[in-house]
Amino acid sequence: MRSKLRHWRKAARGRLNATPLFLPLVAVVGVVVGGVWFYLLSGAALLAAAVCGRFRIALYCLLCLVVAVLQEQRAALRLQEFEAGLQKSPVIEVQGVVERTLSKSCILRDEETGVRIVLRADEMPWRAGDCLRVRAQVLPERAVPVEGMFDSGNWLRCNGLAASAACIDAQYVGHPFSWAAVIGVADEMRARLAHLLMAPAKPGDARARVLCALVLGDKTYSDPETINEFRRGGCLHIFAVSGLHVGIVALLVHMLLRKLLLRSRLRSGVVIVFSGLYVLMTGMSIPALRAWLMLALLLLGRELKRPVGMANIWCAAALLVLLAAPWQLQNAGFLLSFAVYAAICVGVRYGMACKPWVQPDPFIPKRIYTRYERWLLRADFSLRSVVIVSLSAWLVALPITMLYFHTFNLYGVLTNIAITPLLLPLMLVGILALVLSAVPMVGAAVHALALYGAGMLLGVVGAFSDMPAAYLPHCEPQSPQSLMVLGAGYGQSVCVLGNPGAVIVNGMEQTARFCAEPAVFHSGFSPVLMLDVRKDKDDAATAAVLADAFPGLRCMNAYNLADELTVYETPAGTFTLIPPPQDINPSPAENHAPVIHWQGAGRSVLYVGDASLLTLERVPLRYLAADYVICGYNKGLPVPPARLTELMPLTQLIVLPAAAAYTEVDWPQDAMRVSEAAPLLIP
C-alpha cells in the first residue's frame, strides 16, 4: 500500500512539475464559481500541492486565492452600493468614461465607484474614451419569455455590468487619456481598414461583408441573413477573431522579419507587439486575447531559455484573464475558447500518434517511397488531422452551446471540415488585400481573388445550412395540437397554431427578428404557414425574417388575402382564413385583419386577433364552435366580451396584450391573459 502511495505521489509531483499553474487555476475557479463544493475544491487544490511537497505551487495557489477573493469582494461591494442607491431613486447621475460603443448603446464606467453600466440612447455620438456626465433611468431586468432567447440579464452578468439604463440627459466633459481612449483609436483604425475592404466591392455584396468579418472581426457590415446562415451551418465562430487569426498574423510577421535577417529576440518582440496591436484593433475578444497571451508566453519562454509546456501556458492565460475579470468564467466565449483549444491540442496529439488511414505497404522503407506515395502520406496526414481536430472541437463545444444557446448543429463538424482548407488561404489573401490596397491594379486583383474565396466560403456554408435539420433547438418538438401565444411588447403578439402549423405575427420587423423567430424556434415549433397581420402593407421584412429562419415557409400578408374564404391544409390541421367584409370601413387599419380558424387533431381554435366586431359577426356559424378563441383589440369596433360569450358560450377565452387597452368592460375571470414575460403554451 505504501509503495502504491509513493508511486501515485511521485506521478502527481511529475504532473505538477510539468504544469505548476494547474492547481492555482483550479483554486481560482472554485472561488469564482462559489458554493460549498467549489470552495472545497479550492481547498483541495491547496492541500494537494502541500501533500505532494510542492510548497512553491501551494504558495502560488494561496496568492491566486487571495487575489480572486479580493476581486470578488470588491465587485460585490460595488454592486451592493449601486443597488442601495437604486432603492432611493431609479434615476442615477454618474460621470464616467465610455469603455466601448455598441449599436445604440455604450458601456460606461463610473469614475468614482468603478461600476460599469450599459447606457442606451437613441443617438450615439460618442466614442470610446469620451468622458460623460449622465443622468439616466435604470431599466428593470426583463425575464426571458422562452429559454434560449437572448437573456439581457445574463449578458450583463457575463460581462461584469451592474445594470442597463436609458439616457435622459448626457453632457460631454472631455476626452482624457485612458485605456478606453486607446481602444477608441483602435476601433477607428479597424473602421478605416474595414472601409478599405468594403470600398472596392459593390454595395450589399455579402462576400465583402464576410471577408471583413473574417479578417477584422468586424460584423458591422454583416447582414442578419448571412449571420444566420453561418449560425445554422455551425461555423459562426469564424466571425470572431480567435487563435486562427492571431496565429496567421504572427506567422506572416515572423516570416517577413526572418527574410529581413533580424535576430531571434528582436523578431519575437516585434511579433508579440504586432500581434497584440492586431488583437487590440479587432476588439480584444476573449479568444483573441487568449491566443495572444499564449503566443507571448511561448515566445518569451523560449527566448529566456525556460522550459515551455503548452498546458502550463494554457493555465497561465486562463489565470490572467480570470484574475483580471472573474465574471468571464460565466461567459460562453471564455469557456468555448479555452475548452476548444484544449480539445484541439488533444486531437492533434492523437492524430499524430494515429496510424495513417491510407498508406503504401508498411514494409516498404520510407526512403524509397515514390513521389505519389509521399504525396499520399501527406494528404492522409492532412485529412486525418482536419477530421480529428474538427471532431474533437465539435464534441467539446457541443455541451457548451447546448447549455448557453440551447441549440444543436447536426452538421457543424462536417461544415468545419469542409471550410478548413479555405480559411487559411482566404485569411492570407484578405490580409494581402489590405496591405496592397494602395497599389494600382495589384490591389484590385488581390481583392477580387479574396472576394472569390469569400464566395466559395459562402457557398459551402450555405449548402450545409440548407440541409434538413441542420439547426435544431435544444428541446423536444411540440405536439401537432399545441398552440402558443406570446406578447412582444407595445401591444404586439405572436401566435403559433399547431406543429407544423401556422404562425401569426402582429408586429413589425423587430418583432419578427427578436421575438417571433427565436421564440417559435426555441419552443419546438416548425411552422409551414405564416400570416402577417400588421398594419404596414408595403413592408415585407417580417416575412423575409421568418422565411429565412424556416425554409419552405409560405408567407402571406393580410392585405393580399382573397375576398373569399381560403383554406390551407397542413400536417397540423386545416386553416381557414376568413377575410373582413368588403363594405367595412378601412379605418382604423385593424379593420383589414382577418379571422383565422384552425381545426387540428382534437382541437379547434378561432383567432380573432384585432379584427373588428363586424368581421367576427360575418364568420360562418360552423367555425364558431371552437375550443379556444384568441381575442385582441380593435380601436374602431372592438369585440365586447359579452358578445363573445353570446356567440361562443362554451369557449375558453385567450386575451392578447393589445386587449389590455380595452378597459371599458372587464374580461371574464376565467380568461387566460397573455403576458410579455412568459408564453401561454397549451400542449
Side-chain angles (χ1 to χ4, degrees):
M1 187 67 181
R2 290 184 178 180
S3 61
K4 289 184 178 180
L5 290 176
R6 292 195 200 99
H7 175 72
W8 290 343
R9 186 168 181 265
K10 184 178 180 180
R13 293 178 65 176
R15 293 292 182 183
L16 291 180
N17 289 336
T19 55
L21 295 179
F22 175 72
L23 288 182
L25 176 61
V26 172
V28 170
V29 169
V31 170
V32 173
V33 175
V36 176
W37 291 107
F38 282 95
Y39 287 147
L40 290 176
L41 181 65
S42 299
L46 183 62
L47 182 62
V51 169
C52 292
R54 292 295 178 259
F55 299 105
R56 185 178 297 180
I57 296 177
L59 180 60
Y60 293 161
C61 287
L62 186 59
L63 291 176
C64 291
L65 280 174
V66 171
V67 174
V69 169
L70 290 177
Q71 286 278 53
E72 288 286 297
Q73 293 296 326
R74 183 184 179 189
L77 289 175
R78 287 177 175 177
L79 186 59
Q80 290 177 3
E81 293 177 0
F82 182 77
E83 292 177 348
L86 291 182
Q87 293 179 358
K88 300 177 182 178
S89 173
V91 178
I92 58 174
E93 295 184 3
V94 297
Q95 179 172 322
V97 177
V98 177
E99 287 189 347
R100 179 78 67 187
T101 58
L102 307 173
S103 56
K104 289 187 177 181
S105 59
C106 65
I107 297 177
L108 188 72
R109 179 178 54 82
D110 191 349
E111 290 183 331
E112 183 177 353
T113 62
V115 173
R116 301 163 67 239
I117 64 171
V118 175
L119 182 66
R120 306 186 184 276
D122 295 332
E123 297 182 358
M124 193 59 54
W126 313 300
R127 56 174 180 164
D130 287 347
C131 184
L132 307 177
R133 186 177 294 111
V134 174
R135 192 164 66 94
Q137 172 84 30
V138 175
L139 302 175
E141 185 174 324
R142 187 177 180 182
V144 183
V146 177
E147 191 178 45
M149 296 177 63
F150 176 71
D151 189 347
S152 58
N154 184 63
W155 181 83
L156 292 174
R157 289 187 292 271
C158 291
N159 288 275
L161 302 168
S164 176
C167 180
I168 300 175
D169 182 38
Q171 298 179 357
Y172 176 79
V173 177
H175 191 80
F177 178 78
S178 62
W179 177 247
V182 175
I183 294 178
V185 174
D187 290 342
E188 292 178 1
M189 186 181 300
R190 180 172 65 169
R192 293 180 182 179
L193 293 177
H195 178 72
L196 290 178
L197 283 178
M198 295 293 299
K202 296 180 180 179
D205 193 341
R207 300 175 303 169
R209 295 171 177 175
V210 170
L211 185 64
C212 185
L214 179 64
V215 176
L216 298 174
D218 190 352
K219 297 186 286 290
T220 306
Y221 301 97
S222 300
D223 56 287
E225 289 76 16
T226 302
I227 293 178
N228 285 334
E229 194 168 280
F230 277 80
R231 181 181 291 112
R232 290 197 302 269
C235 53
L236 188 61
H237 57 87
I238 70 172
F239 275 36
V241 177
S242 60
L244 173 69
H245 305 72
V246 178
I248 291 176
V249 170
L251 179 63
L252 287 176
V253 176
H254 183 272
M255 292 173 60
L256 178 61
L257 296 178
R258 193 171 183 178
K259 291 294 183 182
L260 297 177
L261 302 178
L262 292 182
R263 290 187 303 173
S264 176
R265 289 193 175 184
L266 181 59
R267 188 165 62 239
S268 298
V270 174
V271 169
I272 293 173
V273 172
F274 199 91
S275 56
L277 291 176
Y278 175 76
V279 172
L280 178 64
M281 182 188 63
T282 53
M284 289 189 66
S285 64
I286 289 298
L289 186 60
R290 186 266 310 159
W292 180 77
L293 287 173
M294 294 187 66
L295 174 67
L297 292 173
L298 176 65
L299 294 179
L300 287 175
R302 288 185 175 179
E303 295 301 330
L304 296 175
K305 308 299 182 184
R306 303 291 295 176
V308 177
M310 296 307 296
N312 199 45
I313 290 177
W314 181 86
C315 294
L319 267 176
L320 290 174
V321 174
L322 289 180
L323 290 178
W327 59 81
Q328 289 292 349
L329 189 59
Q330 307 177 46
N331 200 324
F334 176 88
L335 296 177
L336 283 171
S337 175
F338 282 89
V340 169
Y341 177 80
I344 289 175
C345 290
V346 173
V348 168
R349 186 170 183 177
Y350 175 78
M352 296 183 69
C354 182
K355 293 182 179 180
W357 295 343
V358 180
Q359 64 174 342
D361 192 334
F363 296 101
I364 300 177
K366 293 184 178 180
R367 64 178 182 274
I368 62 173
Y369 277 174
T370 63
R371 181 177 300 178
Y372 169 75
E373 291 171 337
R374 292 175 181 174
W375 176 86
L376 186 64
L377 277 180
R378 294 193 190 99
D380 176 87
F381 177 76
S382 300
L383 178 62
R384 188 171 72 249
S385 300
V386 170
V387 171
I388 293 176
V389 167
S390 299
L391 183 60
S392 303
W394 180 73
L395 289 175
V396 171
L398 183 62
I400 299 177
T401 54
M402 293 175 67
L403 176 64
Y404 280 85
F405 307 111
H406 303 275
T407 57
F408 176 78
N409 290 99
L410 187 60
Y411 311 114
V413 61
L414 300 178
T415 311
N416 285 281
I417 291 174
I419 66 174
T420 297
L422 295 174
L423 293 181
L424 179 59
L426 184 56
M427 273 288 298
L428 293 174
V429 176
I431 294 174
L432 287 177
L434 280 176
V435 175
L436 302 176
S437 59
V439 181
M441 298 183 64
V442 176
V446 175
H447 189 271
L449 182 61
L451 290 182
Y452 179 77
M456 293 180 61
L457 180 64
L458 272 172
V460 173
V461 174
F464 282 99
S465 65
D466 292 338
M467 294 177 67
Y471 189 57
L472 301 173
H474 183 210
C475 65
E476 295 183 359
Q478 295 291 337
S479 60
Q481 70 271 16
S482 298
L483 68 94
M484 183 184 72
V485 189
L486 175 65
Y490 304 101
Q492 303 175 97
S493 61
V494 179
C495 180
V496 190
L497 304 177
N499 185 42
V503 55
I504 305 169
V505 181
N506 181 10
M508 306 303 290
E509 177 190 1
Q510 300 299 318
T511 303
R513 188 174 303 282
F514 299 109
C515 182
E517 186 270 324
V520 172
F521 175 79
H522 288 286
S523 298
F525 288 94
S526 301
V528 295
L529 187 67
M530 190 276 282
L531 180 66
D532 181 10
V533 294
R534 67 191 186 282
K535 305 175 184 178
D536 190 356
K537 61 181 179 181
D538 298 324
D539 186 11
T542 301
V545 170
L546 292 175
D548 184 64
F550 303 100
L553 183 69
R554 181 171 183 176
C555 301
M556 296 175 295
N557 190 291
Y559 279 100
N560 301 325
L561 294 178
D563 295 333
E564 56 187 13
L565 296 182
T566 307
V567 179
Y568 294 95
E569 295 287 344
T570 70
T574 303
F575 290 88
T576 305
L577 277 59
I578 307 168
Q582 297 183 10
D583 58 347
I584 194 172
N585 187 355
S587 180
E590 287 86 352
N591 283 350
H592 76 274
V595 173
I596 303 167
H597 180 267
W598 169 48
Q599 182 64 51
R603 175 172 293 167
S604 61
V605 176
L606 188 69
Y607 180 89
V608 179
D610 295 344
S612 67
L613 176 62
L614 184 58
T615 303
L616 177 63
E617 291 178 339
R618 301 287 181 89
V619 173
L621 293 178
R622 63 181 182 274
Y623 297 120
L624 294 180
D627 300 319
Y628 296 90
V629 59
I630 303 173
C631 188
Y633 176 68
N634 184 287
K635 296 178 181 178
L637 195 58
V639 179
R643 184 57 175 159
L644 280 175
T645 306
E646 180 182 346
L647 291 173
M648 293 165 284
L650 301 178
T651 298
Q652 178 67 58
L653 181 61
I654 299 175
V655 182
L656 294 177
Y662 184 42
T663 56
E664 298 177 7
V665 179
D666 293 333
W667 296 97
Q669 293 184 355
D670 60 345
M672 293 184 284
R673 297 176 181 271
V674 177
S675 169
E676 296 179 2
L680 176 61
L681 179 61
I682 302 177

